[in-house]
Amino acid sequence: MSEPDPTPESAPPVAPKSTRKPRRDYTPQLRATLRFVFWAALFGAAGYWAWHQPFMAKPRAIAALSAAPAPDSLPMPVDGVRASRVADTYGAPRGRDRQHEGVDIFAPRGTPVRSTTDGLVVGVREGGLGGKQVWVMGPGRQRHYYAHLDGFADLLEVGDLVRPGDALGVVGDTGNARGTPPHLHYGVYASDGAFDPLPLLRAHGADNGDAAR
């Protein structure tokens, strides 16, 4: 009678296969991010450098004027005239369908007319109701209108940057003022249209003892 086989030794347990996913390689994304940061920094530095160069003076001025608050007083734009002498004719009828959108500042022909604000000259024109006229964009993007001039300041042209007191022209009677006593028509226009500049002229005069320029 045969003897039974010896009991086999128990087999070692089989380790389960690993279910962990392989580690993701982020190297491509990191390289792309670093390239983006490099080029963004490069373009930012180039833009900063260009913005502060002389050829960007006008764009910088426009940005500064746009960001600046509108003035709460204005110096007299005509030499030798006190604000207290200027009649308030804003809104007075002019013809059948117009109103006076400014003030008339009377002075001898040839009296210097000067900018009341920092600004950018956006118009140097001759013709129409205003005759010889200069438009200046000032703080708060308000437009300052100097009309009926007898002549313009030497070398004045569109794109010039002006400071308060810079010459724009001289008093005259061009345009529809022909034959009237020489004067400057001065108007100020905001985004919603013209408004009376005389209170601002008088405010500046009051602050300075109503001294003529």
Side-chain angles (χ1 to χ4, degrees), residues 98 124-135 145-149 152 173-178 183 185:
R98 293 190 302 110
V124 179
R125 308 170 188 166
E126 183 172 1
L129 299 178
K132 292 182 179 179
Q133 57 194 267
V134 175
W135 290 83
Y145 177 49
Y146 306 80
H148 306 320
L149 302 174
F152 303 114
D173 65 348
T174 56
N176 70 343
R178 181 68 66 188
H183 65 278
H185 171 91

Side-chain angles (χ1 to χ4, degrees), residues 3 7 28 37 67 77 85 88 91 102 141 151 179 201:
E3 295 181 0
T7 303
V37 171
R85 290 174 45 197
D88 190 358
R141 298 187 68 88
L201 298 174

Side-chain angles (χ1 to χ4, degrees), residues 38-155:
F38 171 78
W39 286 110
L42 183 62
F43 283 121
Y48 179 86
W49 175 86
W51 182 249
H52 290 83
Q53 297 309 300
F55 63 84
M56 293 296 286
K58 290 175 184 176
R60 288 200 306 271
I62 294 172
L65 290 169
S66 300
D72 54 13
S73 70
L74 293 168
M76 178 59 59
V78 179
D79 281 5
V81 178
R82 297 178 182 273
S84 59
R85 290 174 45 197
V86 179
D88 190 358
T89 58
Y90 181 84
R94 289 292 188 269
R96 295 180 178 179
D97 56 355
R98 293 190 302 110
Q99 291 183 326
H100 197 218
E101 294 186 341
V103 292
D104 292 334
I105 304 171
F106 292 89
R109 185 183 305 275
T111 302
V113 171
R114 304 182 184 278
S115 177
T116 59
T117 64
D118 291 315
L120 176 72
V121 177
V122 294
V124 179
R125 308 170 188 166
E126 183 172 1
L129 299 178
K132 292 182 179 179
Q133 57 194 267
V134 175
W135 290 83
V136 175
M137 186 187 78
R141 298 187 68 88
Q142 291 181 343
R143 293 171 297 139
H144 298 255
Y145 177 49
Y146 306 80
H148 306 320
L149 302 174
D150 199 53
F152 303 114
D154 291 343
L155 305 179

Side-chain angles (χ1 to χ4, degrees), residues 1 12-13 15 17 29 34 83 89 106 116 147 163 182 188 190 202 206 212:
M1 187 172 179
K17 294 183 178 181
Q29 292 88 338
L34 291 176
T89 58
F106 292 89
T116 59
R163 303 278 295 174
V188 184
R202 288 178 173 171

